[in-house]
mmCIF file of all heavy atoms in Angstrom:
data_model
loop_
_atom_site.group_PDB
_atom_site.id
_atom_site.type_symbol
_atom_site.label_atom_id
_atom_site.label_comp_id
_atom_site.label_asym_id
_atom_site.label_seq_id
_atom_site.Cartn_x
_atom_site.Cartn_y
_atom_site.Cartn_z
ATOM 1 N N PHE A 1 22.080 -2.255 1.181
ATOM 2 C CA PHE A 1 21.239 -2.928 0.147
ATOM 3 C C PHE A 1 20.072 -2.035 -0.275
ATOM 4 O O PHE A 1 19.415 -1.380 0.629
ATOM 5 C CB PHE A 1 20.745 -4.256 0.656
ATOM 6 C CG PHE A 1 21.798 -5.345 0.873
ATOM 7 C CD1 PHE A 1 23.147 -5.084 0.858
ATOM 8 C CD2 PHE A 1 21.337 -6.664 1.102
ATOM 9 C CE1 PHE A 1 24.052 -6.086 1.000
ATOM 10 C CE2 PHE A 1 22.260 -7.641 1.277
ATOM 11 C CZ PHE A 1 23.655 -7.434 1.230
ATOM 12 N N THR A 2 19.770 -1.994 -1.524
ATOM 13 C CA THR A 2 18.621 -1.260 -2.040
ATOM 14 C C THR A 2 17.829 -2.135 -2.954
ATOM 15 O O THR A 2 18.304 -2.703 -3.827
ATOM 16 C CB THR A 2 19.097 -0.035 -2.833
ATOM 17 O OG1 THR A 2 19.899 0.765 -2.030
ATOM 18 C CG2 THR A 2 17.928 0.826 -3.265
ATOM 19 N N ILE A 3 16.486 -2.263 -2.600
ATOM 20 C CA ILE A 3 15.630 -3.018 -3.472
ATOM 21 C C ILE A 3 14.827 -2.040 -4.386
ATOM 22 O O ILE A 3 14.414 -0.932 -3.919
ATOM 23 C CB ILE A 3 14.630 -3.960 -2.678
ATOM 24 C CG1 ILE A 3 13.816 -4.851 -3.486
ATOM 25 C CG2 ILE A 3 13.800 -3.067 -1.726
ATOM 26 C CD1 ILE A 3 13.058 -5.879 -2.683
ATOM 27 N N SER A 4 14.639 -2.468 -5.648
ATOM 28 C CA SER A 4 13.911 -1.561 -6.540
ATOM 29 C C SER A 4 13.189 -2.432 -7.595
ATOM 30 O O SER A 4 13.580 -3.568 -7.822
ATOM 31 C CB SER A 4 14.888 -0.613 -7.243
ATOM 32 O OG SER A 4 15.840 -1.303 -8.071
ATOM 33 N N ARG A 5 12.148 -1.853 -8.249
ATOM 34 C CA ARG A 5 11.383 -2.506 -9.166
ATOM 35 C C ARG A 5 11.603 -1.816 -10.539
ATOM 36 O O ARG A 5 11.826 -0.670 -10.668
ATOM 37 C CB ARG A 5 9.870 -2.374 -8.897
ATOM 38 C CG ARG A 5 9.453 -2.687 -7.511
ATOM 39 C CD ARG A 5 7.915 -2.478 -7.397
ATOM 40 N NE ARG A 5 7.289 -3.561 -8.184
ATOM 41 C CZ ARG A 5 6.692 -4.609 -7.636
ATOM 42 N NH1 ARG A 5 6.638 -4.720 -6.310
ATOM 43 N NH2 ARG A 5 6.174 -5.503 -8.375
ATOM 44 N N ASP A 6 11.577 -2.705 -11.624
ATOM 45 C CA ASP A 6 11.545 -2.240 -12.969
ATOM 46 C C ASP A 6 10.412 -2.986 -13.643
ATOM 47 O O ASP A 6 10.557 -4.077 -14.268
ATOM 48 C CB ASP A 6 12.907 -2.556 -13.705
ATOM 49 C CG ASP A 6 12.986 -2.000 -15.067
ATOM 50 O OD1 ASP A 6 11.880 -1.588 -15.646
ATOM 51 O OD2 ASP A 6 14.050 -1.914 -15.648
ATOM 52 N N ASN A 7 9.143 -2.370 -13.542
ATOM 53 C CA ASN A 7 7.990 -3.071 -14.064
ATOM 54 C C ASN A 7 8.071 -3.282 -15.576
ATOM 55 O O ASN A 7 7.527 -4.249 -16.109
ATOM 56 C CB ASN A 7 6.756 -2.279 -13.711
ATOM 57 C CG ASN A 7 6.486 -2.453 -12.207
ATOM 58 O OD1 ASN A 7 6.887 -3.318 -11.476
ATOM 59 N ND2 ASN A 7 5.670 -1.412 -11.686
ATOM 60 N N ALA A 8 8.683 -2.385 -16.289
ATOM 61 C CA ALA A 8 8.765 -2.524 -17.680
ATOM 62 C C ALA A 8 9.589 -3.790 -18.114
ATOM 63 O O ALA A 8 9.256 -4.325 -19.169
ATOM 64 C CB ALA A 8 9.515 -1.272 -18.303
ATOM 65 N N LYS A 9 10.512 -4.260 -17.279
ATOM 66 C CA LYS A 9 11.267 -5.411 -17.579
ATOM 67 C C LYS A 9 10.823 -6.582 -16.710
ATOM 68 O O LYS A 9 11.450 -7.653 -16.698
ATOM 69 C CB LYS A 9 12.784 -5.143 -17.318
ATOM 70 C CG LYS A 9 13.376 -4.088 -18.206
ATOM 71 C CD LYS A 9 14.858 -3.944 -18.100
ATOM 72 C CE LYS A 9 15.452 -2.949 -18.999
ATOM 73 N NZ LYS A 9 16.889 -2.733 -18.850
ATOM 74 N N ASN A 10 9.731 -6.372 -15.973
ATOM 75 C CA ASN A 10 9.155 -7.492 -15.143
ATOM 76 C C ASN A 10 10.268 -8.010 -14.165
ATOM 77 O O ASN A 10 10.374 -9.228 -13.959
ATOM 78 C CB ASN A 10 8.595 -8.582 -15.969
ATOM 79 C CG ASN A 10 7.352 -9.159 -15.387
ATOM 80 O OD1 ASN A 10 6.658 -8.548 -14.530
ATOM 81 N ND2 ASN A 10 7.068 -10.435 -15.721
ATOM 82 N N THR A 11 10.956 -7.092 -13.596
ATOM 83 C CA THR A 11 12.167 -7.426 -12.784
ATOM 84 C C THR A 11 12.262 -6.647 -11.579
ATOM 85 O O THR A 11 11.821 -5.524 -11.542
ATOM 86 C CB THR A 11 13.494 -7.163 -13.672
ATOM 87 O OG1 THR A 11 13.412 -8.086 -14.775
ATOM 88 C CG2 THR A 11 14.650 -7.527 -12.809
ATOM 89 N N VAL A 12 12.828 -7.290 -10.488
ATOM 90 C CA VAL A 12 13.097 -6.529 -9.251
ATOM 91 C C VAL A 12 14.591 -6.753 -9.013
ATOM 92 O O VAL A 12 15.072 -7.852 -9.196
ATOM 93 C CB VAL A 12 12.276 -7.057 -8.049
ATOM 94 C CG1 VAL A 12 12.710 -6.537 -6.722
ATOM 95 C CG2 VAL A 12 10.784 -6.851 -8.267
ATOM 96 N N HIS A 13 15.222 -5.680 -8.563
ATOM 97 C CA HIS A 13 16.693 -5.746 -8.378
ATOM 98 C C HIS A 13 16.983 -5.694 -6.854
ATOM 99 O O HIS A 13 16.264 -5.008 -6.062
ATOM 100 C CB HIS A 13 17.392 -4.612 -9.027
ATOM 101 C CG HIS A 13 17.232 -4.602 -10.535
ATOM 102 N ND1 HIS A 13 17.780 -5.524 -11.396
ATOM 103 C CD2 HIS A 13 16.467 -3.771 -11.417
ATOM 104 C CE1 HIS A 13 17.432 -5.283 -12.635
ATOM 105 N NE2 HIS A 13 16.599 -4.239 -12.678
ATOM 106 N N LEU A 14 18.133 -6.176 -6.482
ATOM 107 C CA LEU A 14 18.661 -5.954 -5.137
ATOM 108 C C LEU A 14 20.166 -5.479 -5.362
ATOM 109 O O LEU A 14 21.035 -6.284 -5.751
ATOM 110 C CB LEU A 14 18.677 -7.185 -4.303
ATOM 111 C CG LEU A 14 19.119 -7.028 -2.835
ATOM 112 C CD1 LEU A 14 18.213 -6.106 -2.069
ATOM 113 C CD2 LEU A 14 19.337 -8.356 -2.141
ATOM 114 N N GLN A 15 20.379 -4.212 -5.109
ATOM 115 C CA GLN A 15 21.761 -3.665 -5.255
ATOM 116 C C GLN A 15 22.388 -3.802 -3.917
ATOM 117 O O GLN A 15 21.825 -3.324 -2.840
ATOM 118 C CB GLN A 15 21.708 -2.160 -5.579
ATOM 119 C CG GLN A 15 23.020 -1.487 -5.654
ATOM 120 C CD GLN A 15 23.892 -2.015 -6.818
ATOM 121 O OE1 GLN A 15 23.430 -2.283 -7.909
ATOM 122 N NE2 GLN A 15 25.207 -2.189 -6.526
ATOM 123 N N MET A 16 23.506 -4.544 -3.886
ATOM 124 C CA MET A 16 24.196 -4.852 -2.662
ATOM 125 C C MET A 16 25.628 -4.172 -2.724
ATOM 126 O O MET A 16 26.394 -4.519 -3.488
ATOM 127 C CB MET A 16 24.285 -6.313 -2.446
ATOM 128 C CG MET A 16 23.007 -7.061 -2.501
ATOM 129 S SD MET A 16 23.147 -8.845 -2.164
ATOM 130 C CE MET A 16 24.149 -9.408 -3.611
ATOM 131 N N ASP A 17 25.796 -3.267 -1.797
ATOM 132 C CA ASP A 17 27.104 -2.551 -1.719
ATOM 133 C C ASP A 17 27.768 -2.783 -0.353
ATOM 134 O O ASP A 17 27.099 -3.259 0.540
ATOM 135 C CB ASP A 17 26.795 -0.966 -1.921
ATOM 136 C CG ASP A 17 26.256 -0.657 -3.231
ATOM 137 O OD1 ASP A 17 26.643 -1.282 -4.237
ATOM 138 O OD2 ASP A 17 25.329 0.183 -3.256
ATOM 139 N N SER A 18 29.016 -2.392 -0.228
ATOM 140 C CA SER A 18 29.772 -2.587 0.981
ATOM 141 C C SER A 18 29.604 -3.999 1.502
ATOM 142 O O SER A 18 29.302 -4.162 2.742
ATOM 143 C CB SER A 18 29.387 -1.531 1.999
ATOM 144 O OG SER A 18 29.566 -0.262 1.513
ATOM 145 N N LEU A 19 29.685 -4.983 0.679
ATOM 146 C CA LEU A 19 29.393 -6.405 1.064
ATOM 147 C C LEU A 19 30.413 -6.804 2.170
ATOM 148 O O LEU A 19 31.571 -6.462 2.127
ATOM 149 C CB LEU A 19 29.438 -7.298 -0.135
ATOM 150 C CG LEU A 19 28.218 -7.244 -1.038
ATOM 151 C CD1 LEU A 19 28.426 -7.764 -2.385
ATOM 152 C CD2 LEU A 19 27.034 -7.993 -0.328
ATOM 153 N N LYS A 20 29.825 -7.697 3.019
ATOM 154 C CA LYS A 20 30.646 -8.234 4.164
ATOM 155 C C LYS A 20 30.635 -9.779 4.001
ATOM 156 O O LYS A 20 29.732 -10.319 3.429
ATOM 157 C CB LYS A 20 30.024 -7.858 5.512
ATOM 158 C CG LYS A 20 29.871 -6.331 5.647
ATOM 159 C CD LYS A 20 29.208 -6.030 6.958
ATOM 160 C CE LYS A 20 28.994 -4.518 7.186
ATOM 161 N NZ LYS A 20 28.348 -4.230 8.410
ATOM 162 N N PRO A 21 31.620 -10.444 4.636
ATOM 163 C CA PRO A 21 31.584 -11.884 4.639
ATOM 164 C C PRO A 21 30.307 -12.532 5.108
ATOM 165 O O PRO A 21 29.834 -13.594 4.641
ATOM 166 C CB PRO A 21 32.789 -12.244 5.511
ATOM 167 C CG PRO A 21 33.752 -11.137 5.334
ATOM 168 C CD PRO A 21 32.835 -9.935 5.191
ATOM 169 N N GLU A 22 29.677 -11.793 6.077
ATOM 170 C CA GLU A 22 28.463 -12.476 6.644
ATOM 171 C C GLU A 22 27.268 -12.244 5.709
ATOM 172 O O GLU A 22 26.193 -12.726 6.018
ATOM 173 C CB GLU A 22 28.139 -11.730 8.005
ATOM 174 C CG GLU A 22 28.159 -10.196 8.023
ATOM 175 C CD GLU A 22 29.508 -9.677 8.469
ATOM 176 O OE1 GLU A 22 30.546 -10.160 8.142
ATOM 177 O OE2 GLU A 22 29.418 -8.666 9.262
ATOM 178 N N ASP A 23 27.475 -11.624 4.587
ATOM 179 C CA ASP A 23 26.405 -11.539 3.536
ATOM 180 C C ASP A 23 26.416 -12.760 2.690
ATOM 181 O O ASP A 23 25.480 -12.953 1.823
ATOM 182 C CB ASP A 23 26.553 -10.327 2.680
ATOM 183 C CG ASP A 23 26.361 -8.959 3.462
ATOM 184 O OD1 ASP A 23 25.410 -8.959 4.311
ATOM 185 O OD2 ASP A 23 27.102 -8.032 3.210
ATOM 186 N N THR A 24 27.364 -13.607 2.878
ATOM 187 C CA THR A 24 27.492 -14.895 2.127
ATOM 188 C C THR A 24 26.230 -15.746 2.263
ATOM 189 O O THR A 24 25.738 -15.937 3.463
ATOM 190 C CB THR A 24 28.742 -15.613 2.435
ATOM 191 O OG1 THR A 24 29.859 -14.895 2.076
ATOM 192 C CG2 THR A 24 28.781 -16.966 1.769
ATOM 193 N N GLY A 25 25.695 -16.322 1.221
ATOM 194 C CA GLY A 25 24.612 -17.190 1.323
ATOM 195 C C GLY A 25 23.938 -17.407 -0.021
ATOM 196 O O GLY A 25 24.386 -16.846 -1.081
ATOM 197 N N VAL A 26 22.871 -18.129 -0.023
ATOM 198 C CA VAL A 26 22.025 -18.325 -1.234
ATOM 199 C C VAL A 26 20.868 -17.332 -1.105
ATOM 200 O O VAL A 26 20.207 -17.246 -0.134
ATOM 201 C CB VAL A 26 21.508 -19.727 -1.354
ATOM 202 C CG1 VAL A 26 20.648 -19.866 -2.596
ATOM 203 C CG2 VAL A 26 22.651 -20.724 -1.384
ATOM 204 N N TYR A 27 20.680 -16.543 -2.137
ATOM 205 C CA TYR A 27 19.731 -15.506 -2.163
ATOM 206 C C TYR A 27 18.542 -15.904 -3.031
ATOM 207 O O TYR A 27 18.740 -16.314 -4.174
ATOM 208 C CB TYR A 27 20.303 -14.145 -2.652
ATOM 209 C CG TYR A 27 21.141 -13.428 -1.600
ATOM 210 C CD1 TYR A 27 22.402 -14.012 -1.242
ATOM 211 C CD2 TYR A 27 20.737 -12.268 -1.040
ATOM 212 C CE1 TYR A 27 23.140 -13.326 -0.263
ATOM 213 C CE2 TYR A 27 21.403 -11.615 -0.073
ATOM 214 C CZ TYR A 27 22.750 -12.142 0.341
ATOM 215 O OH TYR A 27 23.411 -11.557 1.233
ATOM 216 N N TYR A 28 17.280 -15.827 -2.480
ATOM 217 C CA TYR A 28 16.144 -16.124 -3.104
ATOM 218 C C TYR A 28 15.206 -14.970 -3.311
ATOM 219 O O TYR A 28 15.120 -14.109 -2.364
ATOM 220 C CB TYR A 28 15.322 -17.240 -2.398
ATOM 221 C CG TYR A 28 16.196 -18.523 -2.078
ATOM 222 C CD1 TYR A 28 16.922 -18.624 -0.971
ATOM 223 C CD2 TYR A 28 16.066 -19.581 -3.038
ATOM 224 C CE1 TYR A 28 17.625 -19.754 -0.678
ATOM 225 C CE2 TYR A 28 16.760 -20.773 -2.704
ATOM 226 C CZ TYR A 28 17.507 -20.826 -1.594
ATOM 227 O OH TYR A 28 18.140 -22.006 -1.271
ATOM 228 N N CYS A 29 14.470 -14.937 -4.418
ATOM 229 C CA CYS A 29 13.467 -13.922 -4.457
ATOM 230 C C CYS A 29 12.099 -14.603 -4.385
ATOM 231 O O CYS A 29 12.031 -15.830 -4.709
ATOM 232 C CB CYS A 29 13.499 -13.088 -5.749
ATOM 233 S SG CYS A 29 13.173 -13.901 -7.337
ATOM 234 N N ALA A 30 11.079 -13.953 -3.901
ATOM 235 C CA ALA A 30 9.750 -14.492 -3.761
ATOM 236 C C ALA A 30 8.763 -13.417 -4.067
ATOM 237 O O ALA A 30 9.004 -12.212 -4.002
ATOM 238 C CB ALA A 30 9.589 -14.949 -2.285
ATOM 239 N N ALA A 31 7.532 -13.916 -4.521
ATOM 240 C CA ALA A 31 6.495 -12.983 -4.958
ATOM 241 C C ALA A 31 5.189 -13.378 -4.297
ATOM 242 O O ALA A 31 4.898 -14.554 -4.276
ATOM 243 C CB ALA A 31 6.413 -13.016 -6.500
ATOM 244 N N LYS A 32 4.450 -12.388 -3.946
ATOM 245 C CA LYS A 32 3.111 -12.577 -3.333
ATOM 246 C C LYS A 32 2.214 -11.604 -3.986
ATOM 247 O O LYS A 32 2.376 -10.375 -3.928
ATOM 248 C CB LYS A 32 3.167 -12.402 -1.806
ATOM 249 C CG LYS A 32 1.911 -12.765 -1.078
ATOM 250 C CD LYS A 32 2.156 -12.752 0.401
ATOM 251 C CE LYS A 32 0.984 -13.296 1.205
ATOM 252 N NZ LYS A 32 -0.268 -12.536 1.118
ATOM 253 N N GLY A 33 1.122 -12.147 -4.640
ATOM 254 C CA GLY A 33 0.290 -11.304 -5.456
ATOM 255 C C GLY A 33 -0.839 -10.569 -4.829
ATOM 256 O O GLY A 33 -2.036 -10.937 -5.094
ATOM 257 N N ASP A 34 -0.545 -9.607 -4.017
ATOM 258 C CA ASP A 34 -1.554 -8.687 -3.635
ATOM 259 C C ASP A 34 -0.948 -7.330 -3.293
ATOM 260 O O ASP A 34 0.313 -7.192 -3.228
ATOM 261 C CB ASP A 34 -2.286 -9.252 -2.422
ATOM 262 C CG ASP A 34 -1.404 -9.374 -1.165
ATOM 263 O OD1 ASP A 34 -0.839 -8.339 -0.767
ATOM 264 O OD2 ASP A 34 -1.272 -10.496 -0.629
ATOM 265 N N VAL A 35 -1.835 -6.383 -3.097
ATOM 266 C CA VAL A 35 -1.343 -4.940 -2.924
ATOM 267 C C VAL A 35 -1.438 -4.562 -1.457
ATOM 268 O O VAL A 35 -1.072 -3.371 -1.088
ATOM 269 C CB VAL A 35 -2.082 -3.989 -3.758
ATOM 270 C CG1 VAL A 35 -1.821 -4.176 -5.228
ATOM 271 C CG2 VAL A 35 -3.605 -4.030 -3.517
ATOM 272 N N ILE A 36 -1.810 -5.463 -0.583
ATOM 273 C CA ILE A 36 -1.981 -5.089 0.855
ATOM 274 C C ILE A 36 -0.793 -5.637 1.709
ATOM 275 O O ILE A 36 -0.699 -5.258 2.825
ATOM 276 C CB ILE A 36 -3.315 -5.533 1.395
ATOM 277 C CG1 ILE A 36 -3.383 -7.064 1.431
ATOM 278 C CG2 ILE A 36 -4.490 -4.907 0.612
ATOM 279 C CD1 ILE A 36 -4.652 -7.585 2.222
ATOM 280 N N THR A 37 -0.035 -6.519 1.155
ATOM 281 C CA THR A 37 1.084 -7.131 1.931
ATOM 282 C C THR A 37 2.103 -5.991 2.172
ATOM 283 O O THR A 37 2.699 -5.456 1.130
ATOM 284 C CB THR A 37 1.716 -8.248 1.208
ATOM 285 O OG1 THR A 37 0.771 -9.369 1.099
ATOM 286 C CG2 THR A 37 2.887 -8.771 1.957
ATOM 287 N N THR A 38 2.417 -5.747 3.409
ATOM 288 C CA THR A 38 3.515 -4.698 3.641
ATOM 289 C C THR A 38 4.807 -5.356 3.475
ATOM 290 O O THR A 38 5.040 -6.563 3.614
ATOM 291 C CB THR A 38 3.362 -4.171 5.103
ATOM 292 O OG1 THR A 38 3.669 -5.289 5.993
ATOM 293 C CG2 THR A 38 1.948 -3.682 5.357
ATOM 294 N N PRO A 39 5.837 -4.436 3.174
ATOM 295 C CA PRO A 39 7.270 -5.004 3.039
ATOM 296 C C PRO A 39 7.678 -5.741 4.280
ATOM 297 O O PRO A 39 8.344 -6.719 4.238
ATOM 298 C CB PRO A 39 8.032 -3.778 2.746
ATOM 299 C CG PRO A 39 7.060 -2.840 2.166
ATOM 300 C CD PRO A 39 5.768 -3.070 2.852
ATOM 301 N N TYR A 40 7.379 -5.211 5.498
ATOM 302 C CA TYR A 40 7.766 -5.836 6.673
ATOM 303 C C TYR A 40 7.204 -7.248 6.852
ATOM 304 O O TYR A 40 7.883 -8.217 7.179
ATOM 305 C CB TYR A 40 7.362 -5.000 7.973
ATOM 306 C CG TYR A 40 7.695 -5.625 9.203
ATOM 307 C CD1 TYR A 40 8.968 -5.279 9.783
ATOM 308 C CD2 TYR A 40 6.857 -6.440 9.966
ATOM 309 C CE1 TYR A 40 9.379 -5.798 10.981
ATOM 310 C CE2 TYR A 40 7.273 -7.005 11.143
ATOM 311 C CZ TYR A 40 8.436 -6.669 11.700
ATOM 312 O OH TYR A 40 8.836 -7.232 12.874
#
């Protein structure tokens, strides 16, 4: 999986390759408005 931003389109993508059955689920995106929150 690869996450990336496209600020010009106000969009974030999640490219998912080599998908497995255990990847099945409901996927949600979430946003937190600050620049100090680490990805972890």
